[in-house]
Each structure stands twice: as C-alpha cells, then as structure tokens.
C-alpha cells in the first residue's frame, strides 16, 4: 500500500469511529496533563520548603539525593504512562479492525494484573534495548562536547582537533545505527499488543526480521505527517491529528507484517472468562493457569 492508500483507509476508520477516536485521544491527553500537574505540585511544594535545587540540572549533578529522587520519580511515572499507552494502543488496534474496543476494555479490567505485568515487562525490555543502542552515540556526543567546548579552540592541539573530528564522525555513524535499530524494533510493541502471550524477545527478533529493508519506507511514512506539526501548536487539532496518525500507523505496520498480523485478543476475550459464578476469572498463559480474584 502507498502512503496515500494508507491514509485513505485511516480516514474511513476515523469517520466511522470519530467519537471513540476523540475520547481515546482526550483520555491520553488527560493522563499526561495529570502527570504534569503532579510534577508541578511537587515543584511548588519543594519550592515552598526551599528545595528548588531538586528541579535544577545543577542539583542533579551535585546531590546524590536529587538523583535518587528523580530515579524514584521515574519509577512511578514511567510504569503508569507505559500501561496507559499500551492500553490506548490496543483500543486503536480494535478501531483499525472496525471493531468495538469494549471487549478489550473488559478483558483488560478483569485481567489487569496479568496485562499490567506483561505490559511493564515488555516496555522495560524494549526501552532497555533502545537505551543500550543509544550508549555509543551518547559517548561519542560527549566526546564532541569535550573536545569542542571543554577544550577551548585556543587550547586545542593538532591531536585534540583530530580527536574532535573523529568523535564528530563517530557521532554521525552511531546516530544512524541507533535510528536504524529503533526503527527495527517498531513492530515489537504491536506484536505484543496483538498477542500478549508472545515472548517479548521473540517479538523483538520478529520485528527486526520483518523491518529488514523497510527503513526507508518507514521514514518516508513519518515524514508525510511533518506538515501537520504546526497545527499541533493550536492543541485542539491534536484530537483529530493524533487518531489520524495512529490509525495510519497501524495500517502501515499491518501492511508490513502481512500474514504475521494475527490478532489473538478476540479469542482471548472469548475464552478469558470462566467460572464467573464462583467469582474467579481464569486465563491460560504460557501453559499455566493463573487465577485472579474478581
């Protein structure tokens, strides 16, 4: 499918599910606004008691307690945001299938512990792989900063200038490799969304294999939405542009995956509820039965 055909399919889905698309975007927007307000409340509280340095780069560099605070803060924020993002992604997949997401919502609510744990584990693995791939780029970028800024130009020797140019070249190479690997993992979250029972490492491996040779097409697809970025500054267009991009993105990835796009959630929803009268929900996961209280 061409980008034009993909966007046409997304527009049809939006026209048929406008209310759901807007409500999901509003929900996601509210989640991040809530997290922002929580951080603002912490800032106001710390400012009132004289701990403004907790929200400064200098404080992060100079105080271990500040680094510990931000580490704990991220431990709370990232899992919460990741779970909401993965849940909304699942609902948009349902909309792309021209199906109601009510069943998925009921399944997630009834199996929240299992779904949350798998969501968190998958998110940690994917982001850790991306972070690991960014380490060489971060080191080379710091080298550029060190030789080009810390060592002033008047103090640079011929060897220092050579190191600066070498570091600059490495930064370009490592940045390209990092972006290439991040794109290679683009399918992994959706493979897990379609079938949460899949092993996350197998999902990453499948994503890398399926994205082989698709990197140029992926970048071209993303660039086709650059024209909408100025409209996002008005805030209100977000409620249309985000669903449009999300549904187009799903159709695009579905076209890449082809026969590998197999949604297992509907069958999981049908078989996920048994023994309701006894007040127990049962789901089979990795050949084991996990019993969750109602």
């Amino acid at each position: 499918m061409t980008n034009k055909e993909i966007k046409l399919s997304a527009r049809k889905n939006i026209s048929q599910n406008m209310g759901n698309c807007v409500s999901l975007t509003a929900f996601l927007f509210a989640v991040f606004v809530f997290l922002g307000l929580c951080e603002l409340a912490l800032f106001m509280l710390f400012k009132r008691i004289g701990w403004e340095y907790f929200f400064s780069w200098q404080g992060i560099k100079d105080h271990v307690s500040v680094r510990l605070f931000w580490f704990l803060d991220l431990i709370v924020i990232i899992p919460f945001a990741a779970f909401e993002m993965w849940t909304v992604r699942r609902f948009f997949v349902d909309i792309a299938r021209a199906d109601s997401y009510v069943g998925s919502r009921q399944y997630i609510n009834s199996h929240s512990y299992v779904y949350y744990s798998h969501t968190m584990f998958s998110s940690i693995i994917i982001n850790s792989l991306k972070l690991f791939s960014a380490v060489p780029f971060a080191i080379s970028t710091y080298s550029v900063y060190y030789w080009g800024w810390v060592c002033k130009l008047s103090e640079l020797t011929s060897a220092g200038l050579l190191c600066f140019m070498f570091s600059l070249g490495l930064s370009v190479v490592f940045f390209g490799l990092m972006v290439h690997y991040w794109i290679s993992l683009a399918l992994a979250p959706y493979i897990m969304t379609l079938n949460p029972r899949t092993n996350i490492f197998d999902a990453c491996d499948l994503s890398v294999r399926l994205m082989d040779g698709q990197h140029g097409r992926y970048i071209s697809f993303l660039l086709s939405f650059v024209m909408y970025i100025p409209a996002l500054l008005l805030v209100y267009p977000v409620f249309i542009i985000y669903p449009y991009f999300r549904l187009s993105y799903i159709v695009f990835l579905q076209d890449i995956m082809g026969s590998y796009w197999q949604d297992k959630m509907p069958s999981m929803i049908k078989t996920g509820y048994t023994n309701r009268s006894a007040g127990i929900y049962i789901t089979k996961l990795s050949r084991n039965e996990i019993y969750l209280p109602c």
Side-chain angles (χ1 to χ4, degrees):
M1 297 178 66
T2 64
N3 289 342
K4 184 177 180 180
E5 293 172 337
I6 290 171
K7 292 179 179 180
L8 178 61
S9 176
R11 286 196 293 268
K12 290 181 179 178
N13 286 330
I14 291 178
S15 63
Q16 297 171 359
N17 299 274
M18 178 64 73
N20 290 335
C21 290
V22 173
S23 63
L24 285 176
T25 306
F27 169 76
L28 197 60
F29 182 78
V31 167
F32 286 101
V33 169
F34 171 74
L35 292 176
L37 291 176
C38 289
E39 292 300 314
L40 179 61
L42 278 176
F43 171 74
M44 297 299 293
L45 175 63
F46 282 20
K47 183 178 181 180
R48 187 176 183 84
I49 60 181
W51 291 357
E52 298 95 335
Y53 60 89
F54 273 79
F55 287 84
S56 66
W57 288 111
Q58 192 64 36
I60 294 175
K61 291 194 301 183
D62 296 341
H63 301 280
V64 177
S65 59
V66 177
R67 293 194 289 270
L68 178 62
F69 163 76
W70 280 107
F71 175 75
L72 296 175
D73 189 54
L74 292 176
I75 286 180
V76 174
I77 290 177
I78 292 178
F80 178 76
F83 176 72
E84 301 300 339
M85 286 290 294
W86 280 61
T87 303
V88 171
R89 182 185 295 125
R90 173 64 237 182
F91 294 161
F92 272 115
V93 168
D94 287 331
I95 293 176
R97 292 174 51 246
D99 193 11
S100 172
Y101 59 76
V102 174
S104 297
R105 183 176 60 185
Q106 292 175 346
Y107 180 87
I108 293 172
N109 288 337
S110 301
H111 301 79
S112 56
Y113 175 77
V114 173
Y115 190 83
Y116 179 80
S117 60
H118 279 259
T119 295
M120 281 310 307
F121 181 72
S122 301
S123 179
I124 289 173
I125 294 300
I126 293 174
N127 288 305
S128 296
L129 291 174
K130 290 182 177 180
L131 183 63
F132 180 77
S133 67
V135 170
F137 172 68
I139 295 175
S140 60
T141 302
Y142 177 78
S143 298
V144 172
Y145 164 76
Y146 177 81
W147 293 106
W149 179 258
V150 177
C151 298
K152 303 299 183 181
L153 294 178
S154 58
E155 302 173 6
L156 275 178
T157 61
S158 298
L161 183 59
L162 180 63
C163 289
F164 171 77
M165 297 302 297
F166 182 71
S167 299
L168 188 62
L170 283 180
S171 297
V172 175
V173 173
F174 286 140
F175 178 76
L177 292 175
M178 179 186 70
V179 172
H180 184 276
Y181 188 65
W182 285 17
I183 294 176
S184 296
L185 293 176
L187 294 175
Y190 283 87
I191 295 173
M192 296 301 300
T193 298
L194 295 172
N195 186 6
R197 300 172 183 174
T198 304
N199 183 285
I200 180 58
F201 297 103
D202 293 338
C204 291
D205 179 66
L206 178 61
S207 176
V208 171
R209 288 192 286 112
L210 292 177
M211 288 299 295
D212 186 28
Q214 300 288 342
H215 295 76
R217 184 185 175 194
Y218 185 91
I219 294 174
S220 174
F221 172 78
L222 293 182
L223 290 178
S224 68
F225 282 89
V226 171
M227 67 181 73
Y228 298 106
I229 292 179
L232 297 178
L233 300 177
L234 301 176
V235 179
Y236 291 107
V238 171
F239 298 100
I240 299 298
I241 295 175
Y242 179 78
Y244 180 43
F245 170 76
R246 183 55 59 188
L247 291 175
S248 299
Y249 190 73
I250 292 172
V251 176
F252 172 71
L253 296 185
Q254 185 177 3
D255 184 56
I256 291 179
M257 291 181 64
S259 60
Y260 286 94
W261 185 276
Q262 299 178 4
D263 192 0
K264 303 297 183 181
M265 184 65 81
S267 61
M268 293 171 62
I269 292 172
K270 291 179 181 178
T271 61
Y273 305 105
T274 60
N275 203 15
R276 182 185 291 271
S277 60
I280 297 176
Y281 293 107
I282 305 175
T283 180
K284 293 183 179 179
L285 189 61
S286 301
R287 298 182 180 178
N288 296 322
E289 288 189 348
I290 301 176
Y291 296 85
L292 300 177
C294 176

mmCIF file with all atom_site columns, all heavy atoms in Angstrom, residues 27-37 81 85:
data_model
loop_
_atom_site.group_PDB
_atom_site.id
_atom_site.type_symbol
_atom_site.label_atom_id
_atom_site.label_alt_id
_atom_site.label_comp_id
_atom_site.label_asym_id
_atom_site.label_entity_id
_atom_site.label_seq_id
_atom_site.pdbx_PDB_ins_code
_atom_site.Cartn_x
_atom_site.Cartn_y
_atom_site.Cartn_z
_atom_site.occupancy
_atom_site.B_iso_or_equiv
_atom_site.pdbx_formal_charge
_atom_site.auth_seq_id
_atom_site.auth_comp_id
_atom_site.auth_asym_id
_atom_site.auth_atom_id
_atom_site.pdbx_PDB_model_num
ATOM 1   N N   . PHE A 1 27 ? -8.499 11.022 26.562 1.00 0.00 ? 27 PHE A N   1
ATOM 2   C CA  . PHE A 1 27 ? -8.065 10.263 27.736 1.00 0.00 ? 27 PHE A CA  1
ATOM 3   C C   . PHE A 1 27 ? -6.544 10.285 27.857 1.00 0.00 ? 27 PHE A C   1
ATOM 4   O O   . PHE A 1 27 ? -5.996 10.532 28.943 1.00 0.00 ? 27 PHE A O   1
ATOM 5   C CB  . PHE A 1 27 ? -8.565 8.823  27.629 1.00 0.00 ? 27 PHE A CB  1
ATOM 6   C CG  . PHE A 1 27 ? -7.959 7.892  28.640 1.00 0.00 ? 27 PHE A CG  1
ATOM 7   C CD1 . PHE A 1 27 ? -8.377 7.909  29.961 1.00 0.00 ? 27 PHE A CD1 1
ATOM 8   C CD2 . PHE A 1 27 ? -6.953 7.001  28.272 1.00 0.00 ? 27 PHE A CD2 1
ATOM 9   C CE1 . PHE A 1 27 ? -7.814 7.066  30.899 1.00 0.00 ? 27 PHE A CE1 1
ATOM 10  C CE2 . PHE A 1 27 ? -6.383 6.156  29.199 1.00 0.00 ? 27 PHE A CE2 1
ATOM 11  C CZ  . PHE A 1 27 ? -6.814 6.177  30.516 1.00 0.00 ? 27 PHE A CZ  1
ATOM 12  N N   . LEU A 1 28 ? -5.856 10.029 26.743 1.00 0.00 ? 28 LEU A N   1
ATOM 13  C CA  . LEU A 1 28 ? -4.396 10.025 26.771 1.00 0.00 ? 28 LEU A CA  1
ATOM 14  C C   . LEU A 1 28 ? -3.858 11.409 27.097 1.00 0.00 ? 28 LEU A C   1
ATOM 15  O O   . LEU A 1 28 ? -2.892 11.553 27.866 1.00 0.00 ? 28 LEU A O   1
ATOM 16  C CB  . LEU A 1 28 ? -3.864 9.557  25.416 1.00 0.00 ? 28 LEU A CB  1
ATOM 17  C CG  . LEU A 1 28 ? -2.410 9.103  25.356 1.00 0.00 ? 28 LEU A CG  1
ATOM 18  C CD1 . LEU A 1 28 ? -2.185 7.920  26.294 1.00 0.00 ? 28 LEU A CD1 1
ATOM 19  C CD2 . LEU A 1 28 ? -2.035 8.712  23.945 1.00 0.00 ? 28 LEU A CD2 1
ATOM 20  N N   . PHE A 1 29 ? -4.486 12.434 26.538 1.00 0.00 ? 29 PHE A N   1
ATOM 21  C CA  . PHE A 1 29 ? -4.090 13.807 26.831 1.00 0.00 ? 29 PHE A CA  1
ATOM 22  C C   . PHE A 1 29 ? -4.282 14.109 28.317 1.00 0.00 ? 29 PHE A C   1
ATOM 23  O O   . PHE A 1 29 ? -3.426 14.736 28.961 1.00 0.00 ? 29 PHE A O   1
ATOM 24  C CB  . PHE A 1 29 ? -4.926 14.765 25.984 1.00 0.00 ? 29 PHE A CB  1
ATOM 25  C CG  . PHE A 1 29 ? -4.581 16.211 26.152 1.00 0.00 ? 29 PHE A CG  1
ATOM 26  C CD1 . PHE A 1 29 ? -3.470 16.750 25.533 1.00 0.00 ? 29 PHE A CD1 1
ATOM 27  C CD2 . PHE A 1 29 ? -5.367 17.043 26.948 1.00 0.00 ? 29 PHE A CD2 1
ATOM 28  C CE1 . PHE A 1 29 ? -3.145 18.091 25.690 1.00 0.00 ? 29 PHE A CE1 1
ATOM 29  C CE2 . PHE A 1 29 ? -5.049 18.379 27.112 1.00 0.00 ? 29 PHE A CE2 1
ATOM 30  C CZ  . PHE A 1 29 ? -3.936 18.906 26.476 1.00 0.00 ? 29 PHE A CZ  1
ATOM 31  N N   . ALA A 1 30 ? -5.402 13.634 28.883 1.00 0.00 ? 30 ALA A N   1
ATOM 32  C CA  . ALA A 1 30 ? -5.680 13.866 30.307 1.00 0.00 ? 30 ALA A CA  1
ATOM 33  C C   . ALA A 1 30 ? -4.659 13.165 31.197 1.00 0.00 ? 30 ALA A C   1
ATOM 34  O O   . ALA A 1 30 ? -4.276 13.688 32.251 1.00 0.00 ? 30 ALA A O   1
ATOM 35  C CB  . ALA A 1 30 ? -7.092 13.389 30.640 1.00 0.00 ? 30 ALA A CB  1
ATOM 36  N N   . VAL A 1 31 ? -4.208 11.974 30.776 1.00 0.00 ? 31 VAL A N   1
ATOM 37  C CA  . VAL A 1 31 ? -3.210 11.243 31.554 1.00 0.00 ? 31 VAL A CA  1
ATOM 38  C C   . VAL A 1 31 ? -1.923 12.045 31.671 1.00 0.00 ? 31 VAL A C   1
ATOM 39  O O   . VAL A 1 31 ? -1.365 12.210 32.770 1.00 0.00 ? 31 VAL A O   1
ATOM 40  C CB  . VAL A 1 31 ? -2.928 9.869  30.914 1.00 0.00 ? 31 VAL A CB  1
ATOM 41  C CG1 . VAL A 1 31 ? -1.668 9.233  31.518 1.00 0.00 ? 31 VAL A CG1 1
ATOM 42  C CG2 . VAL A 1 31 ? -4.111 8.935  31.097 1.00 0.00 ? 31 VAL A CG2 1
ATOM 43  N N   . PHE A 1 32 ? -1.446 12.596 30.558 1.00 0.00 ? 32 PHE A N   1
ATOM 44  C CA  . PHE A 1 32 ? -0.190 13.343 30.583 1.00 0.00 ? 32 PHE A CA  1
ATOM 45  C C   . PHE A 1 32 ? -0.355 14.701 31.264 1.00 0.00 ? 32 PHE A C   1
ATOM 46  O O   . PHE A 1 32 ? 0.578  15.203 31.904 1.00 0.00 ? 32 PHE A O   1
ATOM 47  C CB  . PHE A 1 32 ? 0.356  13.498 29.170 1.00 0.00 ? 32 PHE A CB  1
ATOM 48  C CG  . PHE A 1 32 ? 0.939  12.224 28.625 1.00 0.00 ? 32 PHE A CG  1
ATOM 49  C CD1 . PHE A 1 32 ? 0.225  11.436 27.739 1.00 0.00 ? 32 PHE A CD1 1
ATOM 50  C CD2 . PHE A 1 32 ? 2.190  11.800 29.034 1.00 0.00 ? 32 PHE A CD2 1
ATOM 51  C CE1 . PHE A 1 32 ? 0.755  10.261 27.245 1.00 0.00 ? 32 PHE A CE1 1
ATOM 52  C CE2 . PHE A 1 32 ? 2.737  10.620 28.543 1.00 0.00 ? 32 PHE A CE2 1
ATOM 53  C CZ  . PHE A 1 32 ? 2.016  9.843  27.665 1.00 0.00 ? 32 PHE A CZ  1
ATOM 54  N N   . VAL A 1 33 ? -1.543 15.289 31.141 1.00 0.00 ? 33 VAL A N   1
ATOM 55  C CA  . VAL A 1 33 ? -1.803 16.524 31.884 1.00 0.00 ? 33 VAL A CA  1
ATOM 56  C C   . VAL A 1 33 ? -1.792 16.245 33.382 1.00 0.00 ? 33 VAL A C   1
ATOM 57  O O   . VAL A 1 33 ? -1.235 17.026 34.175 1.00 0.00 ? 33 VAL A O   1
ATOM 58  C CB  . VAL A 1 33 ? -3.148 17.142 31.453 1.00 0.00 ? 33 VAL A CB  1
ATOM 59  C CG1 . VAL A 1 33 ? -3.555 18.260 32.408 1.00 0.00 ? 33 VAL A CG1 1
ATOM 60  C CG2 . VAL A 1 33 ? -3.054 17.682 30.037 1.00 0.00 ? 33 VAL A CG2 1
ATOM 61  N N   . PHE A 1 34 ? -2.382 15.125 33.770 1.00 0.00 ? 34 PHE A N   1
ATOM 62  C CA  . PHE A 1 34 ? -2.385 14.736 35.187 1.00 0.00 ? 34 PHE A CA  1
ATOM 63  C C   . PHE A 1 34 ? -0.966 14.542 35.712 1.00 0.00 ? 34 PHE A C   1
ATOM 64  O O   . PHE A 1 34 ? -0.618 15.021 36.801 1.00 0.00 ? 34 PHE A O   1
ATOM 65  C CB  . PHE A 1 34 ? -3.196 13.447 35.359 1.00 0.00 ? 34 PHE A CB  1
ATOM 66  C CG  . PHE A 1 34 ? -3.092 12.834 36.722 1.00 0.00 ? 34 PHE A CG  1
ATOM 67  C CD1 . PHE A 1 34 ? -3.746 13.402 37.804 1.00 0.00 ? 34 PHE A CD1 1
ATOM 68  C CD2 . PHE A 1 34 ? -2.332 11.685 36.924 1.00 0.00 ? 34 PHE A CD2 1
ATOM 69  C CE1 . PHE A 1 34 ? -3.644 12.839 39.077 1.00 0.00 ? 34 PHE A CE1 1
ATOM 70  C CE2 . PHE A 1 34 ? -2.228 11.119 38.181 1.00 0.00 ? 34 PHE A CE2 1
ATOM 71  C CZ  . PHE A 1 34 ? -2.878 11.694 39.261 1.00 0.00 ? 34 PHE A CZ  1
ATOM 72  N N   . LEU A 1 35 ? -0.132 13.853 34.935 1.00 0.00 ? 35 LEU A N   1
ATOM 73  C CA  . LEU A 1 35 ? 1.264  13.649 35.351 1.00 0.00 ? 35 LEU A CA  1
ATOM 74  C C   . LEU A 1 35 ? 1.999  14.985 35.437 1.00 0.00 ? 35 LEU A C   1
ATOM 75  O O   . LEU A 1 35 ? 2.791  15.206 36.363 1.00 0.00 ? 35 LEU A O   1
ATOM 76  C CB  . LEU A 1 35 ? 1.975  12.722 34.368 1.00 0.00 ? 35 LEU A CB  1
ATOM 77  C CG  . LEU A 1 35 ? 1.497  11.265 34.345 1.00 0.00 ? 35 LEU A CG  1
ATOM 78  C CD1 . LEU A 1 35 ? 2.217  10.486 33.254 1.00 0.00 ? 35 LEU A CD1 1
ATOM 79  C CD2 . LEU A 1 35 ? 1.704  10.603 35.696 1.00 0.00 ? 35 LEU A CD2 1
ATOM 80  N N   . GLY A 1 36 ? 1.720  15.888 34.491 1.00 0.00 ? 36 GLY A N   1
ATOM 81  C CA  . GLY A 1 36 ? 2.341  17.205 34.527 1.00 0.00 ? 36 GLY A CA  1
ATOM 82  C C   . GLY A 1 36 ? 1.917  18.006 35.745 1.00 0.00 ? 36 GLY A C   1
ATOM 83  O O   . GLY A 1 36 ? 2.741  18.690 36.378 1.00 0.00 ? 36 GLY A O   1
ATOM 84  N N   . LEU A 1 37 ? 0.632  17.920 36.105 1.00 0.00 ? 37 LEU A N   1
ATOM 85  C CA  . LEU A 1 37 ? 0.138  18.629 37.293 1.00 0.00 ? 37 LEU A CA  1
ATOM 86  C C   . LEU A 1 37 ? 0.745  18.061 38.575 1.00 0.00 ? 37 LEU A C   1
ATOM 87  O O   . LEU A 1 37 ? 1.025  18.808 39.514 1.00 0.00 ? 37 LEU A O   1
ATOM 88  C CB  . LEU A 1 37 ? -1.390 18.547 37.351 1.00 0.00 ? 37 LEU A CB  1
ATOM 89  C CG  . LEU A 1 37 ? -2.145 19.344 36.274 1.00 0.00 ? 37 LEU A CG  1
ATOM 90  C CD1 . LEU A 1 37 ? -3.643 19.090 36.385 1.00 0.00 ? 37 LEU A CD1 1
ATOM 91  C CD2 . LEU A 1 37 ? -1.852 20.843 36.417 1.00 0.00 ? 37 LEU A CD2 1
ATOM 92  N N   . ALA A 1 81 ? 2.578  5.597  32.849 1.00 0.00 ? 81 ALA A N   1
ATOM 93  C CA  . ALA A 1 81 ? 2.397  6.099  31.491 1.00 0.00 ? 81 ALA A CA  1
ATOM 94  C C   . ALA A 1 81 ? 2.475  4.965  30.465 1.00 0.00 ? 81 ALA A C   1
ATOM 95  O O   . ALA A 1 81 ? 1.720  4.947  29.490 1.00 0.00 ? 81 ALA A O   1
ATOM 96  C CB  . ALA A 1 81 ? 3.459  7.160  31.184 1.00 0.00 ? 81 ALA A CB  1
ATOM 97  N N   . MET A 1 85 ? -0.380 3.954  27.732 1.00 0.00 ? 85 MET A N   1
ATOM 98  C CA  . MET A 1 85 ? -0.048 3.999  26.307 1.00 0.00 ? 85 MET A CA  1
ATOM 99  C C   . MET A 1 85 ? -0.339 2.666  25.633 1.00 0.00 ? 85 MET A C   1
ATOM 100 O O   . MET A 1 85 ? -0.899 2.617  24.537 1.00 0.00 ? 85 MET A O   1
ATOM 101 C CB  . MET A 1 85 ? 1.421  4.364  26.127 1.00 0.00 ? 85 MET A CB  1
ATOM 102 C CG  . MET A 1 85 ? 1.749  5.827  26.397 1.00 0.00 ? 85 MET A CG  1
ATOM 103 S SD  . MET A 1 85 ? 1.066  6.922  25.117 1.00 0.00 ? 85 MET A SD  1
ATOM 104 C CE  . MET A 1 85 ? 2.024  6.418  23.693 1.00 0.00 ? 85 MET A CE  1
#
